Amino acid sequence: MMDGLPKRKHPRLKKYDYSSVGSYFITFCSKDKKQILSRVVGRAVLCPPHIALTPLGKVVADCIEHAHTIYPTVTIDKYVIMPNHVHILMTIHAVAGNGGQRTGRPTPQNIVHAIKNATARKFFKGLWQDSFYDHIIRDQLDYDTIWRYIDDNPAKWHTDTFYLSEGEKHP
C-alpha cells in the first residue's frame, strides 16, 4: 500500500486474448454513479418494472445497437441501460475467410471505448467512470444466467449494488 491506499487490482484477466471468439458480459458505470441514463418505472403486476431511457440513455442505446456496423464480427445479444450503469452481453464471432487469423477482431475494450467516446462527444466529457467490468462467458449455462440477470435487472434495481436513492452518495 502506498500512502494508505490499497493497490488496485488489474481488471482484465492476464494472458487472456480478449479478441478470442466467444461471449462476454460487460458492465460500465456513469461517472460517480450518477443516475443519468434511465429511470426504472412501473412496480405493479400489470406494469412490471421497466426502463425509461433519458435522452443520453437513448444515445447510448443507439451506439450499442449500431456496434455491429463498426465491428461486423460482434453481435450485441442483450443489453440493459440502468439509471447509472450499462450491462451488455456480446459475442465476438470468427472473421470469415481469414483462416482463423485474429486481425480485425475487436475486443470488449474496443466496444466499450467506442460507446463511451461516441456518447461523450454528443454530451460531455467526464460522463463515464474509467474502465469497466468484464466476465468471460464459460458455457451455455453461464450465458443463460447472464441473459436472465439482464432481463431481471430493472425489477431488482432497488437491491442493486449500483442503486442510490435520490441525493444519496456512494461511499
Side-chain angles (χ1 to χ4, degrees):
M1 292 208 293
M2 191 157 125
D3 298 325
L5 297 175
K7 185 177 178 184
R8 188 171 184 183
K9 181 182 159 196
H10 190 277
R12 305 294 152 253
L13 243 166
K14 290 181 182 177
K15 298 182 182 179
Y16 182 80
D17 179 3
Y18 277 91
S19 68
S20 296
V21 170
S23 296
Y24 301 85
F25 175 53
I26 306 298
T27 300
F28 55 97
C29 298
S30 61
K31 183 80 170 176
D32 299 323
K33 296 188 178 68
K34 290 182 182 166
Q35 296 183 23
I36 55 176
L37 304 172
S38 69
R39 289 183 350 268
V40 177
V41 295
R43 293 190 189 265
V45 174
L46 296 177
C47 185
H50 60 281
I51 298 298
L53 296 175
T54 65
L56 172 58
K58 289 177 183 176
V59 171
V60 174
D62 188 56
C63 290
I64 291 169
E65 290 170 7
H66 289 91
H68 71 279
T69 61
I70 299 165
Y71 302 106
T73 59
V74 172
T75 55
I76 303 299
D77 303 330
K78 187 96 171 149
Y79 72 93
V80 65
I81 300 171
M82 297 299 291
N84 59 7
H85 65 283
V86 177
H87 292 302
I88 299 173
L89 178 58
M90 60 176 272
T91 301
I92 298 175
H93 302 278
V95 178
N98 76 346
Q101 295 174 347
R102 288 192 317 235
T103 53
R105 234 183 304 156
T107 65
Q109 291 92 323
N110 298 140
I111 305 299
V112 172
H113 182 75
I115 293 166
K116 285 181 173 183
N117 278 348
T119 52
R121 275 195 304 273
K122 290 190 181 203
F123 284 87
F124 54 90
K125 294 200 183 305
L127 176 63
W128 301 107
Q129 279 189 349
D130 292 338
S131 198
F132 63 95
Y133 167 82
D134 70 77
H135 170 76
I136 301 159
I137 304 296
R138 288 158 179 81
D139 55 28
Q140 188 64 47
L141 178 61
D142 196 19
Y143 185 94
D144 294 343
T145 300
I146 297 297
W147 184 283
R148 280 189 307 277
Y149 177 82
I150 291 173
D151 270 348
D152 295 343
N153 213 233
K156 295 180 178 182
W157 170 237
H158 295 297
T159 62
D160 195 297
T161 58
F162 296 121
Y163 173 76
L164 295 172
S165 60
E166 285 297 316
E168 188 178 350
K169 293 188 183 234
H170 244 295

